Amino acid sequence: MAMLSLSMTAIAQGDRDSNDGVKIVKGEKDLDVSTHIAVGVNVPTGAPDGYKFAPFRSWNIDFTLAQLDYQPKRGKQTYSIGVGLGWHNYSLKKNDTYFVKDEHNVVGLATAPANMKKDNSRLHEMAIIVPVLFNQSFSDKFSVSLGAQVNFNVKGRLNWGYTIGDDSYDITTKGIEYKVVTLDLMAIFHVNDGGFYVKYNPISPFKKDKGPDFKYLAFGIYF
């Protein structure tokens, strides 16, 4: 009887351990919500003659406010969709040309007068961003995400700063005819808690015949 009682106690204890283990597995989450920020530079490509951009003065900043991540239990793949805000600008080099909009709302280039020193000239866009990503994990410290980011552009303007003598001026031009929806193809290389991203946008920021036709490559850090 003593041996039977001891055996029953061991079995009961084993069941509790097994159940505890199952509970831990059941506690794993299929769904999670994350927040991310990407900070990098834009490198315009295929721009018409005369447009000389300054990549390291052309910022690409995306802030994903909420991203829903689905990962099957014990899986190494994650499927994500998010929403956030993006700020993208394209700056011209410090020469004597600047962005200008004519009476037909067409954006082009103009040359500054001799007595005017150009400080900056850039196109700026603000967008609601929707990243859609697939992530493959290769280890606890390294994974790769591939996908696209839809940009719903809600604001576009030109900024021009210049100096005449001792006086400085900053002019903002609104009403430019930008495309409401553009698309970035995206790859993210995750290392530990940080990473590096590369994006390519095959769509010009302007509507047809309303500005220079160019695309851009963007790269930077991702958290």
Side-chain angles (χ1 to χ4, degrees):
M1 291 297 293
M3 289 294 294
L4 178 61
S5 176
L6 181 60
S7 298
M8 293 298 292
T9 302
I11 293 172
Q13 181 63 39
D15 286 344
R16 282 197 294 272
D17 292 343
S18 176
N19 288 338
D20 288 345
V22 171
K23 287 179 182 178
I24 292 173
V25 172
K26 288 183 178 180
E28 293 178 356
K29 292 183 179 180
D30 282 337
L31 293 176
D32 198 4
V33 177
S34 56
T35 299
H36 303 279
I37 186 167
V39 180
V41 296
N42 288 319
V43 183
T45 63
D49 291 341
Y51 287 88
K52 299 184 182 301
F53 290 94
F56 291 97
R57 296 173 56 234
S58 302
W59 291 98
N60 187 295
I61 301 173
D62 291 322
F63 181 31
T64 304
L65 298 169
Q67 179 171 291
L68 184 64
D69 304 310
Y70 169 71
Q71 181 182 27
K73 287 186 177 68
R74 304 183 186 278
K76 293 187 176 182
Q77 297 79 33
T78 304
Y79 307 87
S80 304
I81 185 170
V83 64
L85 295 174
W87 295 268
H88 312 137
N89 67 64
Y90 316 89
S91 295
L92 295 176
K93 289 185 176 180
K94 285 192 173 183
N95 52 22
D96 59 351
T97 59
Y98 61 94
F99 285 120
V100 65
K101 184 186 76 167
D102 66 16
E103 65 274 13
H104 302 293
N105 284 345
V106 177
V107 174
L109 284 180
T111 302
N115 67 331
M116 185 182 295
K117 177 186 175 184
K118 190 192 81 175
D119 297 322
N120 63 76
S121 181
R122 61 182 178 268
L123 163 67
H124 179 82
E125 292 181 321
M126 186 176 78
I128 296 172
I129 62 171
V130 179
V132 181
L133 299 167
F134 166 78
N135 177 269
Q136 175 66 51
S137 177
F138 296 95
S139 71
D140 292 340
K141 296 182 179 181
F142 180 71
S143 66
V144 176
S145 294
L146 298 174
Q149 176 176 290
V150 184
N151 304 302
F152 296 96
N153 300 303
V154 296
K155 184 181 291 186
R157 66 178 187 269
L158 304 176
N159 289 108
W160 178 31
Y162 63 92
T163 302
I164 299 178
D166 295 329
D167 298 320
S168 296
Y169 302 86
D170 190 4
I171 297 176
T172 297
T173 302
K174 300 179 181 179
I176 64 173
E177 298 197 25
Y178 55 87
K179 287 181 180 171
V180 176
V181 180
T182 57
L183 182 73
D184 295 341
L185 305 178
M186 192 170 187
I188 309 169
F189 304 91
H190 307 268
V191 182
N192 292 328
D193 294 329
F196 176 85
Y197 78 92
V198 178
K199 295 195 302 181
Y200 177 68
N201 191 318
I203 302 173
S204 174
F206 291 101
K207 292 181 179 179
K208 184 176 176 59
D209 299 326
K210 291 299 181 179
D213 183 6
F214 66 88
K215 287 71 177 175
Y216 72 80
L217 180 72
F219 58 90
I221 56 175
Y222 183 93
F223 296 98

